[in-house]
Amino acid sequence: SLGVSPKEVKAFDLDLGKHGDTALGEIEALKALAAGEAEAGLLSNMMYQRGLDGALPGLDGAALKAAVEVVSGEGPPLFDHCQFDSLLSTPAW
């Protein structure tokens, strides 16, 4: 166990329709972590590093660093935020 027992799972699905979700969802998840509004998050390493560097709009890199602890071990699963999933309402081709 990683010491996380979610009571609620919040999806940061923003800007849907372009090519899945843009990085806006990850930025909002990082903001929630930095503000103490979320206990855990799953993010791409690229966006996490950009957040720490202060390169994301509306996100204080120092606040993020102070609020977040990266879970050690094997490391987070690798993924791309552009997963090309579809909604159930998407018509079949």
Side-chain angles (χ1 to χ4, degrees):
S1 170
L2 300 175
V4 177
S5 298
K7 296 177 184 135
E8 174 186 354
V9 175
K10 177 171 175 50
F12 291 91
D13 294 330
L14 304 172
D15 212 15
L16 294 174
K18 290 183 174 184
H19 51 78
D21 181 6
T22 64
L24 293 178
E26 288 188 82
I27 294 170
E28 291 304 311
L30 286 164
K31 288 180 183 177
L33 288 167
E37 298 168 358
E39 294 179 357
L42 179 62
L43 313 157
S44 66
N45 186 57
M46 177 189 74
M47 293 304 290
Y48 177 63
Q49 293 301 322
R50 289 185 69 202
L52 291 176
D53 292 341
L56 298 176
L59 181 64
D60 179 351
L64 178 64
K65 186 174 184 175
V68 172
E69 176 184 349
V70 176
V71 177
S72 62
E74 294 180 24
L78 299 175
F79 74 98
D80 185 328
H81 72 261
C82 301
Q83 293 188 29
F84 301 100
D85 297 334
S86 68
L87 303 173
L88 291 175
S89 61
T90 303
W93 292 10

